[in-house]
Amino acid sequence: MTRPPLFTRRRLITASAACLAVPGGRAFAAGDIAGGKPITLLVSYPAGGGADVMARLLAPRLSEALAQTVVVENKPGASGTIAAAQVARATPDGSTLLLDASSFAVNPALFDKLPYDTATAFAPLAVLALYPNALVCTPSFEARSVADVLRLARAQPGKLAYASSGNGSAQHLAGAMFESMAKVNLTHVPYRGGGPALNDVMGGQVPLFFANVASSLGHIESGRLRALAVTSSLRSRVLPNLPTMEEAGLKGYEVLEWNPVLAPAGVPAPVRAALAAGIRKAMAEPELLGRVRALGGEIFGGGEAEAAGFLRTQQALWGRVVRERKITRE
């Protein structure tokens, strides 16, 4: 399974500070979107998680860029589909936006039926940042490299286990792709959330975990976890001595977690363009960029068209993995 790498170069957003200019249309004056009423950024996951962190980094800077109030509202549940359904039904005036996670691209294959059509219900505005995972293990585990993991997995098929935050989660899919590309069989141990999974890996109950770098970095640095490789196509700024999966022998392997921002379908093109320009301006702010990098991420760096293309590519990729590995929600 091969595809073009997403982390082949570190891209930065550049944005004009002058105005929210709309090519081929009028430039929106400050505070003009949706009649100037507050913009709600609906987050599909609970407070404190990765999507929520990105929303709260973005909101005040987007508010400044648009000269309008931007409020964050958490609406978790059902792998993000509750928030997505609410945004799909919202008035398409730009006042209600969805900030989701990489599960947005997985859900069409994972759910038998969704309360919206992923392909037609939304207008992608941006992908904010890309975050790699890291294959980590219990410090007492005998493997010291990906090659060691593969050797152990091939010696006793199905015996070696990896944890995840649940069926169909980013960690589960990272493991499923690892199995598919390495042609090994592992045992998947799903948990109800990344925290319990991380704790059991540190405690030695399950040896392996495809952990989000942002949430596992402190444990890696303290020695409570041992990292074996990162899942991006370039090495991580925060773990520069850690090889990529490709360097470790899995050519073409790349798994990233990311956060898209979407509007309901039907938002007028000038409004979409103004919102997208505001997001680009906000994401270019040096303090935000520094926070993203400190968490192990990289700014995506594309506009509306690039975001839409990225979502289509990711949906096709994970749909294929879900079907090939026969992954279900249960």
Side-chain angles (χ1 to χ4, degrees):
M1 184 183 299
T2 60
R3 58 209 169 278
L6 303 173
F7 251 37
T8 51
R9 57 191 178 95
R10 304 193 188 278
R11 297 177 295 179
L12 299 181
I13 291 178
T14 57
S16 168
C19 65
L20 301 179
V22 180
R26 71 185 181 91
F28 270 71
D32 198 26
I33 294 172
K37 64 183 178 182
I39 295 171
T40 299
L41 195 57
L42 207 63
V43 182
S44 54
Y45 288 89
D52 180 69
V53 168
M54 284 304 304
R56 293 180 193 280
L57 286 173
L58 175 66
R61 294 162 177 90
L62 182 58
S63 180
E64 182 178 352
L66 299 176
Q68 285 181 240
T69 300
V70 177
V71 297
V72 175
E73 181 182 335
N74 298 88
K75 195 85 170 182
S79 297
T81 61
I82 292 175
Q86 183 172 329
V87 172
R89 295 191 301 266
T91 302
D93 61 359
S95 65
T96 306
L97 306 177
L98 174 68
L99 194 151
D100 210 325
S102 45
S103 57
F104 180 83
V106 180
N107 287 338
L110 201 59
F111 284 77
D112 291 333
K113 186 176 182 181
L114 290 170
Y116 50 82
D117 184 335
T118 303
T120 61
F122 304 96
L125 300 175
V127 173
L128 301 180
L130 307 171
Y131 291 92
N133 289 346
L135 176 58
V136 300
C137 66
T138 306
S140 60
F141 186 53
E142 63 181 283
R144 294 293 188 275
S145 67
V146 173
D148 287 343
V149 172
L150 295 176
R151 174 178 53 79
L152 293 168
R154 286 164 179 156
Q156 293 182 296
K159 184 176 180 181
L160 193 58
Y162 71 98
S164 85
S165 60
N167 285 327
S169 66
Q171 300 85 23
H172 181 194
L173 293 170
M177 182 177 283
F178 181 88
E179 290 181 89
S180 180
M181 295 183 70
K183 295 180 172 52
V184 296
N185 290 315
L186 306 177
T187 294
H188 172 230
V189 182
Y191 285 78
R192 292 186 179 275
L198 200 62
N199 287 336
D200 270 12
V201 173
M202 289 189 289
Q205 281 78 17
V206 182
L208 297 170
F209 186 41
F210 289 84
N212 181 283
V213 167
S215 61
S216 61
L217 182 60
H219 300 303
I220 293 169
E221 293 175 335
S222 70
R224 298 185 70 193
L225 289 170
R226 182 166 62 250
L228 304 177
V230 289
T231 63
S232 51
S233 61
L234 289 182
R235 292 195 179 199
S236 169
R237 292 179 189 271
V238 295
L239 294 167
N241 296 321
L242 200 62
T244 66
M245 280 288 186
E246 181 151 340
E247 290 174 324
L250 285 187
K251 185 174 177 58
Y253 184 101
E254 183 175 49
V255 176
L256 300 167
E257 296 192 41
W258 40 274
N259 299 109
V261 179
L262 307 103
V267 171
V271 177
R272 290 201 317 268
L275 287 166
I279 293 169
R280 289 197 300 276
K281 183 177 178 182
M283 293 300 293
E285 196 273 326
E287 184 183 355
L288 189 153
L289 173 62
R291 291 286 301 278
V292 168
R293 286 183 170 178
L295 293 170
E298 295 289 342
I299 301 298
F300 176 71
E304 290 177 84
E306 291 79 10
F310 177 85
L311 293 182
R312 287 192 297 270
T313 299
Q314 289 287 293
Q315 187 173 329
L317 167 64
W318 294 118
R320 203 159 54 240
V321 172
V322 167
R323 291 189 297 273
E324 287 176 359
R325 304 299 302 181
K326 297 180 173 58
I327 294 171
T328 66
R329 294 183 62 227
E330 301 300 328

